[in-house]
Each structure stands twice: as C-alpha cells, then as structure tokens.
Amino acid sequence: MTPQWCGAIVGFGQVASQGHWPAWQRQPDFRIVAVCEPDPMRQQCARATIPSVRLYDSLEELLAREDVDFVDIATPPAMHAAQVLAAVRAGVHVLCEKPLTTSFAEFEEMQRAVRAAGVVLHTVHNWRFSEAFRALRAEMQREEFGALHAITLETLRTGCAPGAGGLWRLDAGLAGGGILVDHGWHAFYLMAELAGEPPRTISASVERQRYLDSPVEDTARCRLAFSSCVGRIHLTWAATTRRTVWHIVAEHGELRLENSRLFVRGRKRERQLELPSPAVGSHHPDWFDSVIAEFRSALRAPELTVGNIREAGLCVALLEHAYRSAEENGRTLPVQLPGV
C-alpha cells in the first residue's frame, strides 16, 4: 500500500523510539520521513532506528523544508504548546503526547489556531487502550451494577520513570509539573469516562516524599465530586512497591483491579480475571496502535476528534484547578471547563 500520510516525529526520546516508532512501523498508510531532535546522541539513535529518516535540529527548519502531512510530538510537556502552535500554523496536522498543555490560556490559543488552519489536533490518551481498562469497561457493561457510588484510581510507583535525558520529569522547566502532570492527566480522563460525565468540583493536595529537593511534587491526592458519585485519585513516586489499583463501588457490586488481576463482584456471582501483565515503563507500543487508529479516523473525518479535544480540555482544567486547590490548602473548587 502506498502511504497516504507522511509525517515527522518531534522529539526522539524513549517514548518515541520505544513506543511510537514501533507502532508507526506497522501502519502501511503512514510513513515517518523526518525526525526533529536537537540532541546528537538521540539523533544517532534515530538514524540507527530509522535509517532512511531525515534529521533536523529544529521544528522550524523541518516545517520549512519538509512537505509533511502531520507531526507526532513526543517532547517533554513544557515544549508542547509552542510546537503544536508552530505545526498548526504551518497547516500540518498534529498528534501530541499528553499533556497537550498545562495552561487554560495555551489550550484556548491552540483551539483558535486549529480552527483557523482547518487541521486536526489529537492528544495521546493511550491508557484507555490498556488491557486493564478495556477489561474493566467490558465488565461494567456486562454486569448490571446499578448506580456508581465511588471510583478510586491509585498509581503507586517506586520512582519517576527516567527518560533519554535522565530524570527530566523532576525538572519543572521541562515537565511543567510533577506526578500530577505525568500520571494525573491519565487518571483524569479515565475517571471521567468511568463516571460518564465531567466532575463538578475538585480538591487536591501535593507533597514531596521521595524527591525532597525537587521543585515538583512526587505525591498527589485529588477528590472529585460528580453528580452521582465521588472519585479519589492517589499518585506517588514514593511507594515501596509498584502497583496500579482501580476500585469501583456501585449499587449492586464492585470491581477491583490490582495490576493484572481483576476482581468482579456482581449481583449473582463473583469471579477473578487474570489479565496480561502490564509492561514496566511508559512506552506501550501496543496501546499506540489504537491511538493511531483514532488519529487516522480523525484525519478522514475531523469532527471525530472533538471528543478527544474536549477530554484534553477537561484534563487541562483539572490540572489547573488541582494545583490551585493545593496552593489553597485543599480548598474545594468548582470545575470550569474551557470551550472547544
């Protein structure tokens, strides 16, 4: 099949090289022709990984010299806004790693630029394609659990994941925040999907338990109030063991996921499911196949990306409100959503 869309990867760190590229390689209708990466060592990695690729030090040079249909932005979060805007204003579609941005103002500027250029902007929300989340959703649809009462999402890690440039997630200038930005973004869109609606209020606390000299938090807790249930999020890089725990309590039963084991208690029976063990790390190339499928659909029918962008806007809002709540000693704040 002749590739229908040619694109470039912006930022060739571990997420791009071990997560995005393996999935792009499997798509006959997409072709990666260029990489933007200023670091010489990562340029060497890109050349070794994709021998035919053309390399650029800056996105501006790439956009000026390459006739690409899209860019796949996989740089640290603080770079996303400027790179998204540069690509969009050049008339290029964008697939961007989370967080799309951490700022209300930047999100709204992106939306204005996207509308003016008539291009697609899509955010990587890959955790919804994890085996665990898919199994959880399938069980919720299979059983008649009734009204939801509570949703708890816990992400417990023994440290922050190192990147190609070291522990950049602890650098506020690159990461844009701590664990609330890195893991909280995923928790926000997953919880909203489980609840079936955006939250009405949020309160939060952040602290440093392991990386005491870091400018960013390594532990965060959030409480979200929905119209029909309560959501709680606990995130930490200071755990003694690595665990992912999701717990849903409903009128007629409950579901509890612990890593790769899902416990289901319905009205008529109880059972336990063993899921494929989740890979350690943040790359997940198998999940990225489904992200590309969403992006492909949006390229063919741009209206299909509205739900994704609305979800990204919710995550931006919750990040801003959570940090503000934490600064105000956990004050409960109403959630105000940006326009899409």
Side-chain angles (χ1 to χ4, degrees), residues 44 58 67 77 81 95 108 124 160 166 169 189 197 199 201 214 228 232 234-235 238 255 280 284 292 302 307 324:
Q44 290 181 23
S58 73
D67 184 20
L95 179 64
E108 291 176 337
V124 176
C160 75
R169 287 176 172 83
Y189 68 74
E197 61 177 333
T201 65
S214 170
S228 58
R232 293 181 177 84
H234 176 210
L235 314 167
L255 301 98
V280 175
H284 309 298
I292 293 175
R324 198 171 93 211

Side-chain angles (χ1 to χ4, degrees), residues 273-340:
L273 306 176
E274 291 292 338
L275 308 175
S277 295
V280 175
S282 56
H283 312 129
H284 309 298
D286 48 338
W287 304 355
F288 200 69
D289 286 305
S290 296
V291 172
I292 293 175
E294 279 192 332
F295 186 52
R296 177 189 292 110
S297 296
L299 292 176
R300 292 173 174 164
E303 66 274 10
L304 295 180
T305 203
V306 171
N308 173 272
I309 291 303
R310 184 175 289 115
E311 204 169 57
L314 170 65
C315 293
V316 173
L318 293 178
L319 278 178
E320 281 214 350
H321 292 331
Y323 278 125
R324 198 171 93 211
S325 171
E327 289 174 358
E328 298 177 10
N329 298 314
R331 186 165 72 90
T332 298
L333 301 174
V335 175
Q336 299 175 339
L337 302 178
V340 175

Side-chain angles (χ1 to χ4, degrees), residues 147-190:
L148 293 177
H149 290 168
I151 305 170
T152 301
L153 303 180
E154 293 185 284
T155 302
L156 312 179
R157 301 292 182 262
T158 57
C160 75
L167 295 178
W168 62 261
R169 287 176 172 83
L170 299 179
D171 183 339
L174 290 175
I179 196 168
L180 199 54
V181 170
D182 194 39
H183 290 285
W185 184 281
H186 291 305
F188 289 148
Y189 68 74
L190 293 180

Side-chain angles (χ1 to χ4, degrees), residues 136 140 148 150-152 194 246-250 253-256:
L136 192 71
M140 288 181 70
L148 293 177
I151 305 170
T152 301
L194 291 172
W246 299 339
H247 189 200
I248 298 173
V249 178
E254 63 181 317
L255 301 98
R256 181 178 178 86

Side-chain angles (χ1 to χ4, degrees), residues 22-78:
W24 286 122
Q25 202 173 14
R26 293 190 285 266
Q27 314 303 317
D29 52 345
F30 287 95
R31 182 181 173 212
I32 299 298
V33 298
V35 165
C36 171
E37 174 53 68
D39 182 82
M41 294 294 290
R42 299 311 300 173
Q43 283 192 358
Q44 290 181 23
C45 177
R47 175 69 70 199
T49 305
I50 319 173
S52 63
V53 79
R54 294 183 287 276
L55 298 172
Y56 295 90
D57 292 328
S58 73
L59 180 57
E60 291 71 24
E61 183 186 8
L62 186 154
L63 293 172
R65 298 183 61 179
E66 292 286 345
D67 184 20
V68 292
D69 301 301
F70 72 95
V71 293
D72 170 12
I73 296 176
T75 52

